Amino acid sequence: MKFQSTERYIAAPDLQVAVNAAVTLGRPLLIKGEPGTGKTELAHQVAASFGTELIEWHVKSTTRAQQGLYEYDAVSRLRDSQLGDARVHEVRNYIRKGKLWQAFEADHRAVLLIDEVDKADIEFPNDLLQELDKMEFHVYETGETIRAKQRPVVIITSNNEKDLPDAFLRRCFFHYIRFPDEQTLRAIIGVHFPEIREQLLSAALTEFFEIRDTPGLKKKPSTSEVLDWLKLILAEDLSPEDLQRSPGHLLPKLHGALLKNEQDVQLFERLAFLSRGQR
C-alpha cells in the first residue's frame, strides 16, 4: 500500500513520504497545518488511494475518549427493565460501538480519521494511548477484549489550538502541511478548474500571493479559500484586468472569499487610506 497523489488531490512529495512512513511503522499520522490546507481531505484521499473504508471521528469540545471505544446505555436498559422488555437480559444490546471499535472489527484495513484532536480536553489524547498503541481495549460490561483484526491506518488532524501531550506525540509520526508554492498551487487549481485561462490564473495568483503576504494579516487565505475565490471569479466571468486593485481601493474583488474577519478587511481599508494620502 503506497499513497500517491490522486486525480482529486495533489500531495507534495514530503506528504506522500509521511503517509507511507506512518503506514510502514504502524503509527498514527499526526497532521498539522493552516486551516484549509487539506488535512481532513487527506484522510479521504488516502482511503480512496488504498481502496478501503474511511471511518471518521470528528472531535468536539465535549468529546470523550471512551466514546471512540464504546458507550453503555444504562438509561435505556433501566427503562426496558421497567417495561419488562426481554432485551434487558443481554447487556450487549446496550453497547454502542465507537469509531475505534468499528475500525478494529473492519474486515479490510480501514482508514480511521480522528479529526481536530486538539478541540477536546487535554486528557483526551492521553486516554487513547494504550488503545492506539496496542490496538485493543477491554469492554468491562461484557468482559471481552476487542482486538483489531488488522491495524487501521490512523490519521489525526490538529489545528494547533492547544499543545498535545508528549507521551501522545511520541507515539505518532508527525507531518506539517506547508502552504503550497506557486507551482504546486497551480497543479491543485488545475485539478479543480482544468479549463481556466492561463492569463486569468496568472493574474489571480499574483493578486492572491500579494494579499497573503500582506504584513499584519490575522488569518492568511488558504488553499480552500483561493479555490472558492477562483470559482466566484469564473462564475462572474471576470477578466485579468478586473482583478487589478487601484491604489485607492486595495480590497480585492470578491474579498469575502479570502478575508474572513473584520480586522483583515480594516487592514486593507487602512492601507487604501494611506495610499490615497500619499498621492
Side-chain angles (χ1 to χ4, degrees):
M1 300 172 73
K2 290 289 185 183
F3 173 68
Q4 297 177 325
S5 295
T6 67
E7 292 182 358
R8 301 292 301 169
Y9 190 87
I10 303 298
D14 58 344
L15 179 57
Q16 297 179 37
V17 169
V19 172
N20 294 320
V23 172
T24 300
L25 292 172
R27 298 272 188 182
L29 174 61
L30 175 61
I31 294 290
K32 292 186 179 183
E34 295 178 28
T37 50
K39 300 186 296 296
T40 301
E41 182 62 21
L42 172 66
H44 289 263
Q45 298 303 323
V46 170
S49 177
F50 291 167
T52 191
E53 177 186 7
L54 173 64
I55 298 173
E56 300 180 70
W57 185 11
H58 298 286
V59 177
K60 302 178 181 179
S61 60
T62 56
T63 302
R64 296 176 292 106
Q66 180 64 33
Q67 293 172 314
L69 308 180
Y70 69 93
E71 291 185 279
Y72 170 53
D73 191 353
V75 174
S76 293
R77 193 180 189 192
L78 176 61
R79 184 189 62 241
D80 289 348
S81 68
Q82 293 170 339
L83 296 174
D85 194 321
R87 295 175 69 251
V88 75
H89 299 295
E90 179 52 69
V91 69
R92 286 181 175 82
N93 292 328
Y94 304 93
I95 300 292
R96 297 176 181 173
K97 298 177 181 179
K99 299 297 184 180
L100 265 73
W101 192 332
Q102 295 173 31
F104 284 6
E105 70 175 6
D107 292 328
H108 302 284
R109 190 177 196 181
V111 174
L112 172 63
L113 168 64
I114 304 177
D115 198 27
E116 297 188 326
V117 68
D118 52 330
K119 277 189 174 180
D121 184 85
I122 189 62
E123 292 303 321
F124 176 87
N126 278 337
D127 291 343
L128 292 175
L129 288 181
Q130 181 170 330
E131 289 76 13
L132 292 176
D133 202 20
K134 295 186 176 181
M135 286 288 144
E136 66 178 39
F137 63 90
H138 188 70
V139 182
Y140 295 98
E141 289 77 8
T142 64
E144 61 185 325
T145 297
I146 305 301
R147 295 183 177 87
K149 293 181 180 179
Q150 300 182 69
R151 179 178 286 270
V153 178
V154 181
I155 297 177
I156 303 171
T157 71
S158 169
N159 284 327
N160 254 349
E161 292 183 7
K162 62 171 68 81
D163 292 333
L164 299 173
D166 289 344
F168 177 77
L169 296 174
R170 191 169 64 247
R171 289 166 169 83
C172 297
F173 190 94
F174 171 76
H175 182 75
Y176 185 88
I177 298 182
R178 301 183 186 89
F179 188 81
D181 57 25
E182 183 172 346
Q183 181 179 355
T184 304
L185 190 57
R186 281 176 171 272
I188 294 170
I189 292 168
V191 166
H192 294 270
F193 307 109
E195 304 300 324
I196 191 169
R197 300 187 306 276
E198 171 59 30
Q199 189 177 6
L200 178 61
L201 176 58
S202 295
L205 287 182
T206 297
E207 287 295 305
F208 173 75
F209 279 108
E210 285 182 2
I211 294 164
R212 183 175 163 81
D213 294 338
T214 300
L217 273 184
K218 183 176 181 181
K219 183 194 178 304
K220 295 183 177 183
S222 66
T223 308
S224 64
E225 285 151 353
V226 73
L227 293 176
D228 286 345
W229 188 50
L230 287 170
K231 185 175 182 179
L232 291 173
I233 288 172
L234 292 172
E236 295 290 331
D237 196 24
L238 298 181
S239 68
E241 291 73 26
D242 292 328
L243 300 182
Q244 294 178 2
R245 291 175 289 155
S246 64
H249 188 76
L250 293 180
L251 276 171
K253 295 282 187 181
L254 304 166
H255 65 269
L258 299 174
L259 306 177
K260 297 305 177 84
N261 58 69
E262 63 276 15
Q263 293 96 319
D264 289 342
V265 172
Q266 291 168 3
L267 171 64
F268 278 89
E269 290 174 341
R270 287 197 302 272
L271 292 174
F273 177 78
L274 293 173
S275 177
R276 287 194 297 268
Q278 292 173 358
R279 284 186 297 170

